[in-house]
Amino acid sequence: MTGNRRTPPASPGTSAIPTHMPNATTTPGHSHNKFMNELHSIHTPSWAVAALCLVSLCVVLSCAACVWKKCLKNKDKEKDKKKGKEKSNGGFDTEMDGGYSDPLKDEGNKKTEPSDNEPKDEEKLGRLHFTLDYNFTDNTLIVGILQAAELPAMDVGGSSDPYVKLYLLPDKKKKFETKVHRKTLEPNFNETFTFKVPYTELGGKTLVMTVYDFDRFSKHDAIGDVKILMSSMDFSQSLQEWRDLQKAEKEESERLGDICLSLRYVPSAGKLTVVILEAKNLKKMDVGGLSDPYVKLHLMQNGKRLKKKKTTTKKSTLNPYYNESFSFEVACEQIEKVQVAVTVLDYDKIGKNDAIGKVLLGIKSTGTEQCHWEDMLANPRRPIAQWHILKPEDEINAILSNKK
């Protein structure tokens, strides 16, 4: 009974172990099925499978990126080698190899050079129309400022307020200014000025005519100038011509300072009010490099002083602030006949008080001073403030003496 027993069959859930191992053979399909059966028997969640796939994908992509970078490096090395060969050959190679990149850059530089070296062709400063004549009988040089054209816009509104200042070098003893023409780039001046110069001395002079843009509260900007050597002129006949304005050089004359004042006239009351507001950049008059400035005002008519007033003295300053008001009684029929002389002086305890500079305001004044006076008359009962450049006292006194 015992010898005839047979081994019971294996249960479905377990694998049977073959009794004869040496003689057992397995086919590839059988082993694959066996592996898949074992894989299915492992209970793995779905998120783990997804994570495994994602990691595998990242590994593949990183490998591809490394291969791509390596290829790029090899290409860059080949390009560098080609460039090295081109430089050694003088930079002449085929267009495919980039051999013409350097010559193109050079051509670009050559094209930009003329624009850098020729800014004058682009910057137009305008033209000035004038006349020149010499009176041999009176020994006077007569200069006529007729008009200007094609002036550049200096103001924000696209216009300018031009006027012309003229003088003779090298002495600059006498300076003239035309009237200010408001908001125009084509002003018509039609003004004549006379310089008393002996003909024997005229050859060493240079006439300078500078066009400025007027600004009430800041420094006047020079638009351009015209310089004429008197030695090159033929005064046997009068001259009339147009000339292009050139870039104006900085005026090297000694700066005396600037003064800001306000003018107001009330016709019904016959009252002229002058407010001395402030001064700046005054000339140093004391040993310590400062000054003790005060301002003196004279109401004048026909060269005679009618009334006198003055401000307080500001100690040790070149930029005094006053804001002091002075009133003069002037009838309506007299306002066009009077002048106001404003003089800035340096106070000295021991010696004479020296004049720093002077300004003349009135209907017969010239330049920006005349413009200020006319603005006051055109705007009754309204204070009009403006900065003025101080002029040498001798120059203003000479004008007053000629207008008696």
Side-chain angles (χ1 to χ4, degrees):
M1 294 291 294
T2 58
N4 294 329
R5 285 182 182 177
R6 292 182 181 179
T7 306
S11 62
T14 59
S15 58
I17 301 173
T19 55
H20 303 286
M21 293 296 294
N23 297 328
T25 60
T26 58
T27 62
H30 178 71
S31 61
H32 179 266
N33 292 333
K34 183 180 178 181
F35 173 75
M36 293 302 295
N37 291 332
E38 291 180 356
L39 184 63
H40 287 303
S41 65
I42 300 171
H43 296 284
T44 56
S46 59
W47 63 268
V49 176
L52 183 63
C53 294
L54 185 62
V55 170
S56 301
L57 182 62
C58 291
V59 171
V60 173
L61 290 176
S62 62
C63 292
C66 291
V67 173
W68 182 63
K69 286 184 178 180
K70 191 172 183 181
C71 293
L72 286 179
K73 286 182 180 179
N74 291 334
K75 287 183 180 180
D76 291 339
K77 288 181 180 179
E78 290 178 1
K79 287 183 180 180
D80 292 339
K81 289 180 181 179
K82 287 181 180 180
K83 286 182 180 179
K85 289 180 181 179
E86 290 169 8
K87 289 181 180 179
S88 62
N89 293 332
F92 298 99
D93 208 335
T94 62
E95 293 183 7
M96 294 295 291
D97 292 334
Y100 289 102
S101 60
D102 290 341
L104 285 173
K105 288 180 182 178
D106 293 340
E107 289 177 5
N109 292 335
K110 288 179 182 178
K111 288 179 182 178
T112 56
E113 281 177 4
S115 62
D116 293 337
N117 294 332
E118 298 177 1
K120 293 181 181 178
D121 294 343
E122 298 178 0
E123 188 179 10
K124 298 293 184 180
L125 302 177
R127 300 181 298 148
L128 184 66
H129 191 199
F130 62 93
T131 61
L132 278 180
D133 196 8
Y134 189 80
N135 188 324
F136 289 90
T137 304
D138 298 333
N139 287 327
T140 55
L141 174 67
I142 305 168
V143 183
I145 305 297
L146 302 181
Q147 59 183 331
E150 302 172 10
L151 296 179
M154 304 295 286
D155 299 336
V156 180
S159 186
S160 296
D161 301 321
Y163 70 96
V164 182
K165 182 187 292 187
L166 57 157
Y167 53 88
L168 287 173
L169 291 176
D171 46 13
K172 297 184 184 180
K173 287 182 179 179
K174 199 168 187 179
K175 296 181 181 180
F176 294 105
E177 294 179 4
T178 67
K179 293 181 180 179
V180 178
H181 289 253
R182 301 296 185 129
K183 297 181 180 180
T184 178
L185 303 178
E186 308 278 338
N188 290 311
F189 298 104
N190 294 320
E191 297 185 44
T192 303
F193 305 94
T194 302
F195 294 92
K196 186 76 173 180
V197 186
Y199 185 74
T200 54
E201 300 177 6
L202 190 61
K205 307 288 184 181
T206 300
L207 175 64
V208 180
M209 298 174 285
T210 307
V211 181
Y212 285 89
D213 173 48
F214 170 79
D215 196 320
R216 187 180 299 279
F217 298 110
S218 63
K219 184 179 179 181
H220 304 169
D221 298 319
I223 298 175
D225 65 15
V226 172
K227 294 181 179 179
I228 302 176
L229 296 174
M230 295 294 98
S231 58
S232 64
M233 301 303 301
D234 179 14
F235 288 105
S236 59
Q237 57 184 1
S238 61
L239 169 73
Q240 180 178 153
E241 67 174 76
W242 285 90
R243 287 206 184 181
D244 292 334
L245 293 173
Q246 305 299 322
K247 187 175 180 180
E249 298 178 0
K250 290 184 179 180
E251 208 171 330
E252 297 179 356
S253 61
E254 185 182 24
R255 295 278 298 180
L256 301 176
D258 306 279
I259 186 169
C260 183
L261 55 91
S262 171
L263 297 176
R264 178 173 180 261
Y265 183 67
V266 182
S268 57
K271 185 178 180 181
L272 172 65
T273 303
V274 182
V275 181
I276 304 299
L277 296 171
E278 60 180 312
K280 65 179 181 180
N281 304 323
L282 297 179
K283 181 182 176 183
K284 301 173 185 177
M285 303 295 286
D286 297 340
V287 179
L290 295 173
S291 297
D292 300 321
Y294 70 97
V295 183
K296 185 185 293 184
L297 296 90
H298 288 98
L299 180 67
M300 308 183 69
Q301 184 175 0
N302 297 325
K304 296 180 179 180
R305 296 177 180 178
L306 302 180
K307 292 181 181 180
K308 178 179 71 172
K309 301 197 177 184
K310 66 178 181 178
T311 67
T312 56
T313 301
K314 304 297 179 180
K315 297 289 186 179
S316 303
T317 179
L318 300 178
N319 301 280
Y321 180 78
Y322 298 101
N323 195 24
E324 298 182 30
S325 178
F326 305 94
S327 296
F328 301 94
E329 293 181 0
V330 182
C332 290
E333 60 272 14
Q334 298 294 324
I335 191 64
E336 295 185 358
K337 301 177 182 179
V338 299
Q339 296 166 316
V340 177
V342 181
T343 309
V344 181
L345 300 103
D346 174 48
Y347 174 76
D348 197 329
K349 292 181 180 180
I350 302 174
K352 180 184 176 182
N353 298 336
D354 297 320
I356 298 176
K358 198 168 185 176
V359 171
L360 182 65
L361 299 159
I363 196 64
K364 292 184 179 180
S365 57
T366 60
T368 57
E369 290 82 3
Q370 181 184 11
C371 179
H372 193 184
W373 189 264
E374 291 178 350
D375 285 347
M376 177 199 69
L377 296 178
N379 298 275
R381 296 177 296 277
R382 178 184 171 188
I384 306 295
Q386 182 175 313
W387 280 96
H388 294 280
I389 299 174
L390 292 174
K391 299 178 180 179
E393 185 184 30
D394 295 341
E395 182 179 328
I396 301 299
N397 291 341
I399 296 174
L400 290 171
S401 64
N402 292 332
K403 292 182 178 180
K404 287 185 180 181

